[in-house]
Amino acid sequence: MLQKETLLSLVKRPDLIAYWQSLSKREVEDMLGPQAAAMVGFDQHNPHHCYDLMNHSLHTVWEIQRQLADRLIDWQDNLLTAGLFHDVGKPVVARQKEDRLVFYGHAAKSAQICRALLPQLGFDHVQTQRICFFITHHDDFIPFLLPEEAVERFASYKKADHAQVLKHFRTCAQKESLAQLGVKQKALWQALLVLCYADVRAQAEVVVYHGVVTDSRAHKEKKLDCIAQILADLSEEELEQDS
């Protein structure tokens, strides 16, 4: 198994996609273990995705690199590591639904895998907790709709408005006791959004299902823009209230 510093050097390579693509599944298993190796060549078979699972993860890391190149943000190493492993649980939870695969609960499963894997790679408890926070919440904003969108077809979705987004932040903070981590919650959520944008940008530009366009990368980014603006307008005191 790799150790942390070696892994971080490999995910920071400017040619990281070509480098990891050059490795065999067995080599990845030797470096990162069998659950990470299961991502290699795993066909996601889902209209939201244009890459196999390992290549999606690599493009996510590359997008994180690109976002971090022109700004300073806390926990860069944690974000890059989360990018590599954010979907490691997908092969475990993958289920056939009609003519596609679905991955319900994959974020929680990925975090569960990483809580065991990351200490083996040399990450300490706090680093592991932060990385698993990013992994657990990387799909949080899928069930939000833009304020102008109708909700009739999406009964389980919520409007991406100030009240709903703040409620989500506070609920997560209470559930995970973020105040006990000794970090500023606003900075933590802003860092998470780096992963969310990267994940979206490593997906299909247009989602076509049964010949019908059902979503797009641009629409997903617009939702994240809305969430990011609400977060920017929130104070630390608002986020920490009741947490």
Side-chain angles (χ1 to χ4, degrees):
M1 296 278 280
L2 293 179
Q3 286 301 292
K4 179 181 70 173
E5 294 308 320
T6 303
L7 174 61
L8 291 174
S9 70
L10 294 179
V11 296
K12 292 176 181 178
R13 289 176 64 125
D15 64 340
L16 81 102
I17 294 176
Y19 170 77
W20 286 94
Q21 285 177 340
S22 73
L23 301 175
S24 68
K25 188 169 185 174
R26 178 58 183 272
E27 288 173 316
V28 174
E29 181 172 349
D30 289 343
M31 295 164 72
L32 301 176
Q35 289 169 308
M39 296 193 292
V40 177
F42 183 89
D43 186 351
Q44 300 196 78
H45 193 52
N46 183 289
H48 286 272
H49 289 284
C50 53
Y51 300 114
D52 68 44
L53 186 53
M54 188 62 170
N55 277 298
H56 165 70
S57 301
L58 295 175
H59 278 83
T60 299
V61 175
W62 184 84
E63 288 288 347
I64 293 171
Q65 279 188 3
R66 194 166 67 87
Q67 290 183 71
L68 297 181
D70 59 356
R71 61 174 168 155
L72 181 64
I73 192 167
D74 289 338
W75 316 310
Q76 296 190 29
D77 291 350
N78 296 168
L79 276 172
L80 291 166
T81 305
L84 183 63
F85 294 118
H86 74 285
D87 282 344
V88 70
K90 277 189 171 181
V92 181
V93 303
R95 298 290 181 270
Q96 190 76 30
K97 183 176 181 180
E98 299 176 350
D99 56 351
R100 69 192 191 279
L101 288 181
V102 293
F103 308 100
Y104 302 138
H106 79 273
K109 176 57 70 173
S110 297
Q112 180 186 35
I113 290 169
C114 285
R115 286 189 187 98
L117 173 62
L118 293 173
Q120 296 179 56
L121 299 173
F123 289 87
D124 65 30
H125 176 72
V126 172
Q127 293 163 342
T128 298
Q129 289 294 98
R130 289 174 181 169
I131 293 166
C132 288
F133 170 84
F134 295 139
I135 292 172
T136 298
H137 295 286
H138 77 271
D139 271 352
D140 274 16
F141 306 116
I142 288 176
F144 281 88
L145 295 170
L146 292 167
E148 65 269 21
E149 292 181 302
V151 298
E152 285 77 9
R153 291 177 53 235
F154 305 95
S156 63
Y157 279 40
K158 299 165 283 190
K159 290 285 189 179
D161 59 27
H162 183 282
Q164 290 289 346
V165 173
L166 178 57
K167 180 181 178 180
H168 177 77
F169 290 147
R170 286 179 173 173
T171 299
C172 292
Q174 288 179 307
K175 184 178 178 181
E176 302 195 30
S177 301
L178 294 186
Q180 297 180 20
L181 293 181
V183 298
K184 294 293 185 182
Q185 291 184 33
K186 186 167 183 173
L188 193 65
W189 288 108
Q190 287 173 327
L192 172 68
L193 282 170
V194 172
L195 173 58
C196 295
Y197 276 109
D199 184 26
V200 163
R201 290 166 183 166
Q203 297 178 20
E205 185 172 358
V206 179
V207 181
V208 181
Y209 188 54
H210 290 171
V212 178
V213 174
T214 60
D215 207 345
S216 69
R217 187 188 303 159
H219 175 251
K220 295 173 186 178
E221 287 199 52
K222 191 174 181 181
K223 287 200 294 183
L224 292 176
D225 290 343
C226 187
I227 301 291
Q229 185 57 60
I230 292 169
L231 178 58
D233 292 339
L234 291 171
S235 68
E236 195 71 39
E237 290 73 21
E238 287 178 287
L239 287 168
E240 293 180 356
Q241 183 177 331
D242 299 324
S243 63

